Amino acid sequence: MKLLRYGPSGQEKPGLLDASGTIRDLSGVIPDLAGDALSAAGLAKLAALDPASLPAVPGSPRLGPPVSGMKNFVCIGLNYADHAAETGAAIPKEPIVFLKSLGALCGPNDDVMIPKNSVKTDWEVELAIIIGSTAKCVSEDEAMNHVAGYAVCNDVSEREWQIERGGSWDKGKGCDTFGPLGPWLVTKDEVADPQDLAMTLDVDGVRMQDGSTRTMIFGVRHLVHYVSHFITLHPGDVISTGTPPGVGLGKKPPMFLKPGQTMKLSIKGLGEQTQRTVAYE
């Protein structure tokens, strides 16, 4: 299934995308894509529905983040061998874990705001794991039982603030609109192998990132297991799993975003995002 949330920011309704590409309204079935609706039993209930029995949503409404009720927006740093190489960093011995502010979360096609005084805003296409049931100190064998599905994430980053301003990475990662997620949650049964997904990112029509989850250092199963030993994961939480090479920081010379540009991201089977960059308001 492809599950989504549509409507104005803060007023999104749950929906699903049927085989013809029509959005079907789920608000008569569940209050939101959150909590128990993301559990194995909740997803089985939705999968048993006949999409044709659900109201069709007219037009092309705004899409919001495909889950609600997130408690933790977890990110993994330097998790692609080829990306670590382009930045000159050593291969991590354990996953590098940091948190993105929940205030960064936005819809997949919402504008991305370049922060005030930013000079090094950068892009990162990433595979996001969406948690479906509470995971605390789970084994690798159990980890996938807690995964609802996957989505595309753009881990937008301000590199000066992340790297040159002292302290943790978080200050360069949590700005408003720095976490586009979606367009939908694709349930894990539709993803045969999350470690074999092509992923791309273009800026103004120029291909910047062209990679694959095959080069991830720590895979999905290990990440859910690992993170759950430090942070209890709840339904709707996200683990954004790192980015392949081609980020602006790694270009020679480095390239960074400015207002008026367009980013387009895709991951095979998970859909596309398109964002326009805008100046700080």
Side-chain angles (χ1 to χ4, degrees), residues 35-57:
D36 289 344
L38 299 172
S39 68
L43 293 176
K45 177 183 175 183
L46 297 180
L49 297 171
D50 175 7
S53 70
L54 301 169
V57 177

Side-chain angles (χ1 to χ4, degrees), residues 84-98:
E86 79 169 341
T87 62
I91 299 294
K93 293 188 168 107
E94 295 188 38
I96 296 171
V97 178
F98 62 93

Side-chain angles (χ1 to χ4, degrees), residues 206-274:
V206 177
R207 181 63 42 91
M208 296 296 180
Q209 292 185 272
D210 190 354
S212 169
T213 57
R214 288 191 301 272
T215 66
M216 283 172 64
I217 299 164
F218 304 104
V220 167
R221 185 183 300 273
H222 183 74
L223 290 174
V224 174
H225 148 74
Y226 185 87
V227 172
S228 78
H229 281 74
F230 302 95
I231 299 168
T232 298
L233 297 168
H234 299 274
D237 283 358
V238 162
I239 303 175
S240 198
T241 58
T243 198
V247 299
L249 179 66
K251 301 292 184 185
K252 298 187 185 343
M255 301 170 59
F256 299 108
L257 294 165
K258 57 186 182 296
Q261 295 188 284
T262 299
M263 292 180 281
K264 186 172 184 177
L265 299 68
S266 70
I267 298 180
K268 184 179 179 182
L270 303 185
E272 294 182 347
Q273 302 182 349
T274 302

Side-chain angles (χ1 to χ4, degrees), residues 110-158:
D110 290 348
D111 290 345
V112 166
M113 185 171 63
I114 306 294
K116 185 178 182 180
N117 301 320
S118 164
V119 293
K120 295 184 180 180
T121 296
D122 202 350
W123 56 82
E124 295 190 15
V125 60
E126 304 202 357
L127 171 69
I129 306 165
I130 298 180
I131 300 298
S133 60
T134 301
K136 185 174 184 177
C137 295
V138 301
S139 68
E140 284 203 41
D141 288 343
E142 301 169 319
M144 296 305 293
N145 297 334
H146 299 276
V147 174
Y150 307 96
V152 183
C153 182
N154 190 353
D155 177 21
V156 186
S157 308
E158 212 299 344

